Amino acid sequence: MSEPPILRLNPALDPAALAAAYARDGMVRIPGLFEPAVADILARMLEQGIEWDVICSTETGKAEVLDRATVQRLGGAAIGEKLKAATLRARTGFAYVYLGYPMINAYLTGRNPGHPIHDLTDFLNGPEMIAFGAQVIGAPGITKLDAQATLYRPGDFLTRHDDTGEGDRRAAYTISLTREWRSDWGGQLLFHDAEGDIERGFAPAFNTMTIFKVPRQHSVAPVAPYAGAPRLMVTGWLKDSPPAGKPRQA
């Protein structure tokens, strides 16, 4: 019986070249982040093994996180009204609807003990990933990676914003683990200029990381009603504030 693959970055990555691209463009696209066997395991985990929360924006733009128990307690009609209200607010301001799993909060509170997603949280906040991210963005003080897993269904979206918020955010990132995607299914990570035009856009991909400097105007295009697959990502920020909590013991 073969040993399971090691959760590590792809040894073929060239951090110096990636850092040069980030310094030039304020963003960098990193295909082949993990070795193929590792990427396959992580994708299957998101495809089959996550207890997703419903996440939608409130009137103030904050996240309302509706876990499975809350969804069952409120019922489909009440949840539908919340999602409808968030969608209507998207006409004039910042709003979003998608499924998510709060990886850091789940890790610190002991949610789903023993779940393999906690190994990914450990890895993202371990020395290899922190050193890699710090080198790519040219910020040696990086101490942690905030993280949430996300699933966008048909109709889900995230409107334009610039990630202005906590002062410890040095860059934003996405790790795309979407196996198959057509460009007309929507769901692209879009970057906007001052006139509202699209400067650049990245479709969901497999085993690909994107890092970009914040603040920067960006959005996630709505997923088309006919999209034939889930848009699966891990997203968050590279931060330089003290880490919360401690890694689990092996």
Side-chain angles (χ1 to χ4, degrees):
M1 186 175 179
S2 61
E3 292 292 326
I6 299 171
L7 180 53
R8 64 178 183 179
L9 292 172
N10 189 339
L13 296 175
D14 184 350
L18 298 171
Y22 182 87
R24 182 186 67 240
D25 301 330
M27 67 173 68
V28 63
R29 186 85 153 158
I30 309 172
L33 182 68
F34 300 108
E35 293 166 288
V38 173
D40 178 66
I41 288 173
L42 295 176
R44 282 193 283 116
M45 177 182 68
L46 296 186
E47 290 162 351
Q48 303 171 14
I50 300 297
E51 182 182 287
W52 297 104
D53 299 333
V54 177
I55 299 178
C56 61
S57 53
T58 65
E59 292 181 357
T60 61
K62 301 296 184 181
E64 183 170 10
V65 180
L66 306 166
D67 61 18
R68 181 175 297 178
T70 302
V71 170
Q72 292 176 343
R73 176 174 55 83
L74 294 178
I79 298 299
E81 287 301 314
K82 288 180 178 291
L83 303 187
K84 180 180 178 181
T87 301
L88 290 174
R89 285 193 289 270
R91 293 178 177 177
T92 56
F94 179 51
Y96 46 88
V97 172
Y98 57 87
L99 301 186
Y101 184 90
M103 292 169 61
I104 302 299
N105 179 267
Y107 184 102
L108 295 175
T109 60
R111 175 174 171 177
N112 305 121
H115 196 288
I117 198 168
H118 301 313
D119 296 325
L120 179 57
T121 304
D122 261 334
F123 173 78
L124 293 175
N125 287 277
E128 181 185 13
M129 191 67 191
I130 287 176
F132 174 78
Q135 182 176 356
V136 169
I137 71 171
I142 294 300
T143 58
K144 61 185 179 182
L145 275 72
D146 196 7
Q148 67 167 334
T150 66
L151 186 161
Y152 281 62
R153 308 155 295 175
D156 287 349
F157 62 90
L158 172 63
T159 64
R160 191 177 64 182
H161 61 292
D162 64 8
D163 274 359
T164 297
E166 299 175 32
D168 58 352
R169 297 175 181 176
R170 295 295 164 255
Y173 76 90
T174 68
I175 299 173
S176 182
L177 291 164
T178 305
R179 293 187 193 272
E180 298 178 5
W181 199 262
R182 280 179 19 187
S183 59
D184 60 335
W185 288 355
Q188 293 90 352
L189 173 61
L190 302 175
F191 296 94
H192 305 254
D193 66 17
E195 286 71 43
D197 290 324
I198 303 301
E199 294 180 308
R200 201 165 180 181
F202 296 126
F206 183 66
N207 193 22
T208 298
M209 186 176 196
T210 301
I211 305 177
F212 58 96
K213 189 175 182 179
V214 294
R216 185 167 189 155
Q217 290 285 336
H218 63 284
S219 65
V220 174
V223 175
Y226 50 83
R231 179 190 187 274
L232 294 166
M233 303 267 176
V234 173
T235 71
W237 298 279
L238 286 77
K239 295 184 172 184
D240 61 6
S241 57
K246 297 180 179 179
R248 295 172 302 147
Q249 297 300 312

